[in-house]
Amino acid sequence: MSKLIINGKNKLYGKIEVKSAKNAMLPLIASCVLLDFEVGFLNCSDIGDVSVMLEIIKSIGGKYRYEGDTLFVDCSSVYIPELPCDLSKKIRASVFLLGPLLARFRKVSAVTPGGCNFGDRPIGMHLDGLRKLGAEISGNEHLYLRADKLKGSKIVLPFASVGVTENLIMASCLADGETVIVNSAKEPEIVCLCAFLNRLGAKIYGAGTHKITIHGVKKLTNKITYFKPITDRIEVGTYMLAVLNTGGELEISGANFLHNTSLIKKIYNNTCKISLESDKIYLKCCGVGNALGYVKTAPYPAFPTDLQSPLLAYACSLSGKTIIEEGVFKNRFSIVNELKKMNADITVEGCRAIVNGTNRLRGAVLNAGDLRSGAGLIISALGAEGVSEISGLEVIERGYADIDKKLRLIGADVTKG
Ligand code: UD1
């Protein structure tokens, strides 16, 4: 298992560029299954989860290639409506292929997906939604889905799930008649997926709201050559929190600040200066910040669960008490035991972590249990006294491209071991 070795306390200065968002790319690639032509996605970087998704596409008969940072995906030759077991177990997002494969082949078989290890991640809502569109589903660990015809329907989601919203949008694009998804999620990645599908000829209305309406079409026929996905707001937030934790000045290009308003509101005026441009965030630290009070994660536009561990890591070095409540994945606190090894003062009570900030965090031997807790550990290690070794780098690389190189470029003492 590879690791990162970080000698903390270097301030970070310079520029970082972020590229297309992992969580936008995964459903976009899945949606290519609906197409019988090649599409190029601009501004992509090589991240682990995207590579696994592309391998799944290849295993069902599709093709992909990179030209520089443009990723071309061609699903015209996809012919196997069966998801490979080993690859599907590696990423949660393999479940996104159920909707589009069902729409194209009227049948699909799959295993329940894997993914980041932060507790139970059921797929019942995905399956219930597809049932509403006419799918018959059997099996447990191995699933068999079949639908002679997908038929538009009204689907009310019990929770505004990102993946379920995306899956049902992709399935209903080619269904007969109108589908209405009520309590749909509003994340920018969903808006991005809908913009892509609409350019191809889909008829999707209301993306970015809690009610999305899809008028099914026979085929997506508008051939487009290129599409530019949104950039990675979670990567942006991670680098913002890293520089806040170490001190310094950072310019993040490619960042759409509107996608990070919940974070910006939390840190605004907290001994830092922020200037925002249309595709740039500039952050200058002016001393140790104050504790953050109460933060609760929830679906967009609230504070994102994917930045909960990075924020928790930052809160450890602020003076005073911060309470962070996890409102999306109740067991997402695997970072806490690792941070305690660094001398952090954190108590977990149910879905809440209570952090008493201290500026005495010290380096330790740590393990990245999941992608975002790994990112949080990097943030802590960068600000801590002494050397930290973080194992599980491959878990972090599932969502962060070249994180060691990017950090070195802005002055961090980081090596790969
Ligand atoms: C997506 C993101 C992930 C992020 C999450 C929440 C991608 C590839 N991943 O994951 O990074 O942390 O949104 O913003 O975009 N649930 C069920 N049954 C289901 C599906 C979900 O109970 O069938 C629950 C989940 O356990 C969780 C909640 O719904 O408690 C939200 O999860 P969801 O929005 O579906 O997350 P993902 O789409 O898997």
Side-chain angles (χ1 to χ4, degrees):
M1 206 164 24
S2 52
K3 60 187 173 192
L4 278 185
I5 300 155
I6 300 180
N7 193 2
K9 287 283 179 211
N10 281 13
K11 290 190 176 181
L12 304 178
Y13 289 94
K15 290 183 187 175
I16 273 189
E17 190 195 349
V18 287
K19 298 213 167 202
S20 294
K22 167 180 91 69
N23 287 353
M25 287 309 301
L26 292 168
L28 285 171
I29 294 169
S31 75
C32 288
V33 164
L34 296 166
L35 311 176
D36 57 9
F37 48 88
E38 184 186 74
V39 184
F41 297 104
L42 301 169
N43 200 31
C44 296
S45 51
D46 186 14
I47 43 179
D49 277 15
V50 168
S51 302
V52 176
M53 191 62 148
L54 291 169
E55 283 310 299
I56 295 178
I57 292 291
K58 204 165 134 190
S59 76
I60 57 175
K63 294 180 221 139
Y64 71 89
R65 66 194 166 88
Y66 279 97
E67 266 181 29
D69 64 0
T70 303
L71 166 67
F72 291 91
V73 181
D74 180 356
C75 288
S76 56
S77 53
V78 165
Y79 67 102
I80 312 167
E82 185 180 330
L83 295 179
C85 181
D86 49 343
L87 291 168
S88 304
K89 284 281 174 203
K90 287 189 179 172
I91 52 167
R92 166 91 179 159
S94 58
V95 76
F96 297 171
L97 283 157
L98 294 183
L101 279 173
L102 193 62
R104 176 153 165 189
F105 292 101
R106 307 297 181 217
K107 62 178 183 180
V108 49
S109 68
V111 287
T112 49
C116 259
N117 175 26
F118 44 81
D120 202 18
R121 293 183 77 182
I123 61 162
M125 261 198 276
H126 289 264
L127 302 183
D128 287 348
L130 293 171
R131 275 194 193 96
K132 277 269 194 181
L133 294 174
E136 284 173 22
I137 303 175
S138 58
N140 247 327
E141 178 62 11
H142 280 87
L143 296 164
Y144 303 93
L145 290 77
R146 172 177 286 280
D148 292 337
K149 195 162 67 167
L150 288 178
K151 211 168 164 336
S153 179
K154 180 176 174 184
I155 304 167
V156 182
L157 302 184
F159 185 89
S161 154
V162 179
V164 174
T165 304
E166 291 168 339
N167 215 342
L168 297 180
I169 288 169
M170 291 187 274
S172 54
C173 260
L174 302 186
D176 272 4
E178 182 184 273
T179 298
V180 181
I181 308 173
V182 179
N183 196 26
S184 48
K186 305 200 287 190
E187 270 67 2
E189 291 76 15
I190 296 171
V191 178
C192 175
L193 174 69
C194 294
F196 175 62
L197 292 170
N198 280 343
R199 276 190 60 196
L200 295 160
K203 293 192 168 16
I204 306 166
Y205 309 93
T209 75
H210 274 322
K211 186 177 163 194
I212 297 180
T213 304
I214 303 115
H215 295 163
V217 295
K218 288 236 155 353
K219 214 173 163 191
L220 300 176
T221 50
N222 297 350
K223 292 193 180 176
I224 61 168
T225 317
Y226 297 111
F227 182 78
K228 191 169 183 198
I230 57 167
T231 51
D232 201 312
R233 64 194 166 99
I234 305 301
E235 189 183 9
V236 169
T238 302
Y239 285 116
M240 287 172 73
L241 290 164
V243 76
L244 285 168
N245 203 39
T246 57
E249 274 180 66
L250 191 61
E251 181 183 301
I252 308 174
S253 62
N256 181 342
F257 70 86
L258 292 172
H259 294 165
N260 279 98
T261 45
S262 59
L263 172 62
I264 291 168
K265 276 187 200 156
K266 260 290 144 204
I267 59 173
Y268 207 71
N269 291 333
N270 200 7
T271 47
C272 66
K273 285 186 182 148
I274 304 178
S275 94
L276 306 169
E277 288 177 33
S278 60
D279 65 345
K280 210 176 271 178
I281 293 177
Y282 175 79
L283 194 59
K284 181 178 181 177
C285 301
C286 327
V288 178
N290 299 313
L292 301 166
Y294 171 73
V295 184
K296 181 174 179 183
T297 70
Y300 190 84
F303 196 88
T305 173
D306 285 349
L307 282 178
Q308 182 255 101
S309 295
L311 190 80
L312 208 153
Y314 170 52
C316 288
S317 63
L318 298 174
S319 50
K321 189 198 259 188
T322 299
I323 298 175
I324 300 181
E325 182 166 343
E326 175 53 53
V328 181
F329 295 105
K330 54 178 186 264
N331 295 321
R332 204 174 195 177
F333 284 126
S334 70
I335 192 174
V336 169
N337 283 338
E338 300 304 297
L339 290 174
K340 282 183 176 172
K341 294 180 191 164
M342 304 179 82
N343 211 24
D345 179 353
I346 311 168
T347 313
V348 175
E349 289 173 3
C351 294
R352 288 180 173 203
I354 298 136
V355 184
N356 285 306
T358 162
N359 61 5
R360 289 195 305 275
L361 253 55
R362 53 168 191 257
V365 177
L366 306 163
N367 179 44
D370 65 72
L371 165 59
R372 306 302 174 187
S373 71
L377 293 178
I378 292 176
I379 290 168
S380 278
L382 288 168
E385 195 72 57
V387 177
S388 295
E389 278 188 27
I390 306 173
S391 60
L393 177 58
E394 47 290 323
V395 176
I396 299 169
E397 287 174 338
R398 291 176 58 165
Y400 296 88
D402 297 326
I403 192 160
D404 58 318
K405 281 189 207 145
K406 284 187 176 176
L407 288 170
R408 265 196 304 279
L409 276 176
I410 54 173
D413 184 348
V414 182
T415 45
K416 246 181 179 179

